[in-house]
Amino acid sequence: MYGKFQKILQDELANIENLGLYKRERIIGSPQKAEISVGEGDGLLNFCANNYLGLSDSERLVEAARKAMDSRGFGMSSVRFICGTQDLHKQLEASVSEYFRTDDAILYGSCFDANGGLFEPLLTEDDAIISDALNHASIIDGVRLCKAKRYRYANADMAELEKCLREASAQRLRIIATDGVFSMDGNVAPMDEICRLAEKYDALVMVDESHSAGVVGPTGRGVAELYDLYGRIDIFTGTLGKSFGGAMGGFTTGHREIIDMLRQRSRPYLFSNSLAPALAGAGIEMFKILNESDALHTRLMENVKYFCREMMAAGFDIKPTQSAICAVMLYDAALSQEFARRMQAEGIYVTGFYFPVVPKEQARIRVQLSAGHERAHLDKAIGAFVKVGRELNVIKAVDGERQ
């Protein structure tokens, strides 16, 4: 029975291969950090990880995970409401809500699960969800699982958002859903204007902080800190898999009644195993690290400023960024793959992104900076970008330009 379907798949995969768009996994044989080992080759400098604060190989987190396993075991073998809740889970939820200054928090296996399980338990066909066009796939899927009426506005377009809010005025409830930082462009949602419009049209506000928490704001605590919006954003979702240690786990945090309802009805929470004790223990320790000092965030922002300034000076087309994401625009999908391949030969590990991950003819190299990068790492990466950029006619050599 599989034969006909197999031929369809083989033809489509061959087409992807012929277009130069086939995704191949490169195997890392070291901890995730600024310098990694890939395959059997020499070490590469990694510029495509979500390891914004450089905590993925933190000895403190490794030790905290080890202690949690020693005292609480390896796994939970249960969902939370049966016999899957340990004291570590409650402590981590308290740490999340303290960090975001909310009433309570609920843990998930990932932020994809948090977003996927958010809307359906809270909203009905009498309600409306108004979503930014560039929201993460997990928000889009969560919206699809909900019966609420759907509206969409162009990325960060406040005039179009207001139009959607006016059109949704007949619905019982309205919720605006947005990423805090948009993962492919690196821009921050205009949360001050979003909250102003939400208050004008009596709407709730939800923001996914996956790429913004730990990064934006004076001390990196996300969009509420950046725009001073504590108490005006109703729901935050986020991940432990990026700035917050880079492992696994997601969360939703906000008003107490919202979190209580999610505990009762959110399907990814009710029907998935609890977060492993090691992840919970390391998460608790991670928030202790962030509460002790802003040094990691400060170093990250210094790295971002330096890298973007030097890349623009070299002639690259860089999207404006307020985050740790620097989109180096190439526009052509096949070019982005060839560029990434040549960068690896230069010792720099980056990835080319193209449709459907980004819009057609918007292919790019997405560079992600980390507090774990040293200035020498940045200079080597910039030098490699310039060399490959000239080879592929992306930038031109100019007298006095970086050699």
Side-chain angles (χ1 to χ4, degrees):
M1 292 179 64
Y2 179 58
K4 181 178 180 180
F5 186 38
Q6 181 183 36
K7 183 62 167 59
I8 293 171
L9 295 177
Q10 287 174 340
D11 290 346
E12 184 60 26
L13 288 167
N15 183 53
I16 294 171
E17 177 78 50
N18 291 336
L19 291 172
L21 305 180
Y22 195 91
K23 300 176 183 68
R24 288 182 169 82
E25 297 176 349
R26 293 171 282 185
I27 310 303
I28 297 175
S30 64
Q32 181 67 276
K33 54 183 180 178
E35 186 168 355
I36 57 175
S37 297
V38 177
E40 298 180 358
D42 296 330
L44 299 175
L45 294 181
N46 192 358
F47 281 86
C48 59
N50 300 313
N51 186 23
Y52 298 129
L53 295 180
L55 290 171
S56 293
D57 67 328
S58 165
E59 282 299 323
R60 281 183 61 173
L61 299 191
V62 171
E63 181 60 25
R66 184 180 295 116
K67 287 181 178 178
M69 283 195 290
D70 288 342
S71 64
R72 299 296 187 274
F74 176 68
M76 293 307 303
S77 305
S78 177
V79 300
R80 287 284 296 270
F81 79 96
I82 299 178
C83 58
T85 300
Q86 289 182 333
D87 51 352
L88 294 180
H89 297 109
K90 301 307 293 183
Q91 291 172 33
L92 179 54
E93 287 170 340
S95 296
V96 170
S97 59
E98 178 185 8
Y99 186 87
F100 288 95
R101 301 188 190 179
T102 56
D103 295 338
D104 199 1
I106 177 174
L107 296 175
Y108 290 86
S110 66
C111 189
F112 207 110
D113 281 346
N115 288 333
L118 175 64
F119 301 102
E120 189 271 338
L122 302 175
L123 304 174
T124 73
E125 61 271 13
D126 298 322
D127 304 317
I129 303 171
I130 307 164
S131 183
D132 191 289
L134 292 188
N135 277 344
H136 190 266
S138 58
I139 297 178
I140 294 170
D141 284 0
V143 171
R144 287 172 175 165
L145 292 170
C146 180
K147 295 180 180 179
K149 186 173 177 58
R150 305 167 194 170
Y151 298 84
R152 188 173 73 162
Y153 62 96
N155 179 233
D157 187 328
M158 294 299 96
E160 195 164 335
L161 171 58
E162 184 163 20
K163 179 183 177 183
C164 291
L165 285 164
R166 286 197 298 267
E167 292 176 0
S169 61
Q171 268 73 52
R172 181 189 65 157
L173 298 173
R174 289 152 298 284
I175 182 167
I176 303 168
T178 182
D179 282 4
V181 163
F182 296 93
S183 61
M184 288 299 134
D185 289 0
N187 58 310
V188 179
M191 295 306 303
D192 51 348
E193 285 299 301
I194 289 173
C195 286
R196 182 186 67 80
L197 288 172
E199 289 159 3
K200 179 178 179 180
Y201 290 95
D202 192 25
L204 299 167
V205 176
M206 169 267 173
V207 59
D208 181 334
E209 290 266 40
S210 291
H211 288 276
S212 47
V215 177
V216 305
T219 66
R221 291 189 175 232
V223 295
E225 182 188 54
L226 177 65
Y227 292 106
D228 191 20
L229 295 173
Y230 289 110
R232 297 174 66 188
I233 297 173
D234 301 285
I235 302 169
F236 300 88
T237 62
T239 179
L240 302 175
K242 293 182 172 61
S243 292
F244 295 161
M248 295 288 293
F251 56 84
T252 299
T253 186
H255 302 295
R256 188 170 310 282
E257 296 80 4
I258 290 174
I259 304 305
D260 286 347
M261 186 58 72
L262 293 177
R263 290 193 196 280
Q264 300 304 310
R265 293 183 177 173
S266 182
R267 292 168 71 86
Y269 178 81
L270 293 172
F271 298 104
S272 296
N273 259 17
S274 305
L275 211 60
L279 297 174
I284 294 166
E285 185 68 19
M286 178 276 304
F287 281 110
K288 291 180 181 178
I289 292 173
L290 299 189
N291 286 331
E292 289 170 4
S293 169
D294 185 40
L296 294 176
H297 173 255
T298 298
R299 189 185 314 157
L300 170 64
M301 290 296 100
E302 289 173 350
N303 286 347
V304 171
K305 183 177 180 180
Y306 178 79
F307 182 85
C308 291
R309 183 184 71 232
E310 293 298 303
M311 287 288 285
M312 287 188 289
F316 285 97
D317 184 359
I318 306 293
K319 277 187 173 287
T321 184
Q322 300 161 277
S323 65
I325 296 167
C326 176
V328 183
M329 300 304 296
L330 300 173
Y331 301 101
D332 180 83
L335 174 61
S336 73
Q337 300 310 287
E338 177 63 15
F339 203 110
R341 186 187 67 79
R342 295 199 189 192
M343 288 292 287
Q344 182 163 337
E346 298 294 326
I348 307 299
Y349 188 29
V350 292
T351 300
F353 289 88
Y354 47 88
F355 182 81
V357 179
V358 297
K360 289 182 178 180
E361 300 181 355
Q362 289 290 308
R364 67 200 63 184
I365 300 290
R366 181 182 69 170
V367 177
Q368 291 168 281
L369 285 307
S370 169
H373 289 130
E374 299 174 1
R375 182 61 60 87
H377 297 151
L378 303 181
D379 286 337
K380 182 175 180 178
I382 295 164
F385 265 105
V386 170
K387 180 177 184 292
V388 175
R390 289 175 179 163
E391 291 173 352
L392 296 177
N393 294 317
V394 173
I395 59 171
K396 305 294 184 183
V398 178
D399 290 343
E401 189 180 59
R402 174 190 294 269
Q403 298 296 319

